[in-house]
Amino acid sequence: DIGERHNFNQTIVRQAMRMLEDIGAISCQRGRRGGAVRAPPQAGAVIRLLFPHIAETRLSPAENLEVGSFLALNAPRLAACRRRASRRTPTRQIGPAAAPREATVPEAIALGNRLLDLAESPFLSILVRAFGLQALFSQDEPRPPPPFAWPEIERCFQKIFQAIDAGDPAEAHAWAVRKDMLMMSNLPLAT
């Protein structure tokens, strides 16, 4: 049916189905009542296929970071849309900083990962993390956000989480763009 609908021969359809089954996107049931059913994504299979490809493209650290950031900008909007549609209970907010302080790399990564988790899109998370890790592996040493910029970046994270809880995709995206601009302007990578 798929081949006829899209004018592909059976060999191409079988190869595509095998590839989708290999990465865990579908589960094929053979036999009289066989067919293809959507399966939950298996992150391990996707990562095994994705990382070598990204490494082979030989993108600069700045290009990897740019692609990852562009994809990550969609996570808050997606999370807010899903929150609005489901009307779930609010997430635990991050507390405001008592005094200006230096951020650590793990702290900044943890906040970004939390945004990705709220989007509930495993493939988006995998792609963002893949490009981000490739950018970090290309650098000598990951640098934390500078102390003078961290309070504003942290405020942006707070506003993003509030917009997600309110189910406001436009507001979540606007604050994500602001946060991204602050991080990119304060953490330049060599091209």
Side-chain angles (χ1 to χ4, degrees):
D1 291 344
I2 293 169
E4 288 175 9
R5 196 173 326 138
H6 298 285
N7 295 323
F8 291 115
N9 67 33
Q10 291 238 341
T11 305
I12 292 173
V13 172
R14 265 192 233 108
Q15 288 174 347
M17 298 286 275
R18 198 171 304 123
M19 290 167 72
L20 290 170
E21 193 173 19
D22 286 347
I23 65 169
I26 62 170
S27 175
C28 292
Q29 299 171 349
R30 286 147 179 82
R32 181 173 249 193
R33 294 189 181 194
V37 292
R38 187 171 163 229
Q42 297 173 0
V46 175
I47 290 169
R48 278 193 308 277
L49 295 170
L50 187 62
F51 274 111
H53 176 70
I54 292 173
E56 286 175 12
T57 60
R58 298 203 187 329
L59 295 175
S60 71
E63 290 168 325
N64 278 309
L65 196 59
E66 183 180 15
V67 172
S69 295
F70 182 77
L71 290 169
L73 281 176
N74 292 299
R77 184 186 343 219
L78 180 60
C81 286
R82 290 190 174 180
R83 178 61 48 115
R84 182 176 56 198
S86 70
R87 282 293 161 211
R88 285 178 284 192
T89 57
T91 59
R92 188 181 67 78
Q93 296 291 317
I94 58 171
R101 59 187 173 70
E102 288 189 30
T104 63
V105 171
E107 183 179 17
I109 290 172
L111 288 171
N113 283 337
R114 191 159 146 227
L115 283 177
L116 290 172
D117 291 341
L118 287 173
E120 297 175 1
S121 174
F123 286 120
L124 177 63
S125 299
I126 289 168
L127 287 170
V128 169
R129 289 171 180 143
F131 281 104
L133 283 173
Q134 187 63 31
L136 288 177
F137 288 147
S138 303
Q139 286 290 99
D140 292 334
E141 183 179 328
R143 292 173 288 164
F148 64 87
W150 180 246
E152 184 59 21
I153 291 170
E154 194 172 36
R155 185 172 88 84
C156 289
F157 273 115
Q158 182 72 35
K159 294 291 189 179
I160 292 167
F161 290 128
Q162 288 172 355
I164 289 170
D165 280 342
D168 187 344
E171 186 76 7
H173 182 68
W175 282 104
V177 169
R178 169 98 174 113
K179 174 194 67 72
D180 193 58
M181 288 172 49
L182 283 167
M183 291 182 79
M184 292 299 238
S185 64
N186 289 300
L187 293 169
L189 288 174
T191 55

